[in-house]
Amino acid sequence: MMATKPKLHYPNGRGRMESVRWVLAAAGVEFDEDFLETKEQLQKLQDGNHLLFQQVPMVEIDGMKLVQTRSILHYIADKHHLFGKDLKERTLIDMYVEGTLDLLELIIMHPFLKPDDQQKEVVNMAQKAIIRYFPVFEKVLRGHGQRFLVGNQLSLADIILLQTILALEEKIPNILSAFPHLQEFTVKISNIPTIKKFLEPGSKRKPPPDDIYVRTVYNIFMP
């Protein structure tokens, strides 16, 4: 019998679930989505004890109901050999991912800021990326001269970094101008067949958040 496809429970937009979509897609795993559109749908999941901490993202996979974005990412990455080959590599990947997710969180929260604050926050995000985060990865890639961040093979760290770079480039197109190794990295990782497919129209990759998505999220999650 065919294994059931993972099912993702989240509103129809990027948010914290988009990283999960990226990793599943990179691993070549097909998945279904059950989009939350109302407070009632969330309440039903909560009342049915489907959400460990009453929160989404929630992913049904391998007979489990996983919550907490990082735990979900770790499970998928480990299962599909995207988490290094030993404890040291895994820890390095995890550190890179944690740092990148801190930057990604700024992008995720951006559409929910007041319009005046949004422009200021773009400047703040660009500065953080250019001063704190990108130099780290530029140096790593320059240092070992390999295509991937860790262990010379695709890992969760590469996938989340690419997701974050592309999301930033939507707002600040020339953000990588001072980082030639990251420019090359972006092109190479984008051309891995499973990722290339995810970046093409018609995939389950979500568009940048718009007003409809922002309103939906407010309606579901705000008291």
Side-chain angles (χ1 to χ4, degrees), residues 87-152:
L87 185 58
K88 282 187 177 179
E89 282 193 359
R90 184 195 174 108
T91 304
L92 202 51
I93 290 165
D94 202 20
M95 288 197 301
Y96 292 164
V97 168
E98 286 297 313
T100 310
L101 287 174
D102 288 345
L103 182 56
L104 187 60
E105 185 67 17
L106 301 178
I107 304 168
I108 291 171
M109 295 314 295
H110 183 260
F112 300 97
L113 299 173
K114 295 186 185 77
D116 307 350
D117 295 334
Q118 285 195 12
Q119 204 42 52
K120 284 197 288 255
E121 183 57 18
V122 169
V123 175
N124 176 42
M125 283 191 297
Q127 281 185 320
K128 279 212 165 117
I130 289 165
I131 294 165
R132 181 179 303 173
Y133 294 102
F134 289 171
V136 170
F137 298 118
E138 182 74 9
K139 189 178 170 192
V140 168
L141 292 167
R142 190 176 62 233
H144 60 37
Q146 292 165 354
R147 177 174 167 191
F148 303 108
L149 286 169
V150 178
N152 212 8

Side-chain angles (χ1 to χ4, degrees), residues 71-87:
S71 304
I72 298 167
L73 292 174
H74 287 179
Y75 180 81
I76 298 164
D78 223 347
K79 180 176 177 173
H80 296 284
H81 313 293
L82 296 165
F83 218 172
K85 58 182 182 298
D86 57 32
L87 185 58

Side-chain angles (χ1 to χ4, degrees), residues 139-172:
K139 189 178 170 192
V140 168
L141 292 167
R142 190 176 62 233
H144 60 37
Q146 292 165 354
R147 177 174 167 191
F148 303 108
L149 286 169
V150 178
N152 212 8
Q153 59 178 5
L154 183 67
S155 78
L156 183 60
D158 302 301
I159 298 163
I160 302 299
L161 181 56
L162 179 63
Q163 178 198 353
T164 304
I165 286 171
L166 295 182
L168 273 170
E169 282 186 333
E170 287 170 352
K171 299 186 192 312
I172 312 142

Side-chain angles (χ1 to χ4, degrees), residues 190-205:
S190 296
N191 275 299
I192 290 169
T194 51
I195 293 177
K196 191 174 181 182
K197 191 174 162 195
F198 186 62
L199 291 173
E200 282 164 3
S203 82
K204 292 189 171 170
R205 184 182 182 215

Side-chain angles (χ1 to χ4, degrees), residues 25-45:
V29 177
E30 288 188 16
F31 57 87
D32 292 323
E33 302 193 84
D34 196 350
F35 294 126
L36 290 181
E37 282 153 7
T38 64
K39 210 188 251 320
E40 290 69 43
Q41 279 174 291
L42 179 64
Q43 192 64 51
K44 201 173 155 191
L45 283 176

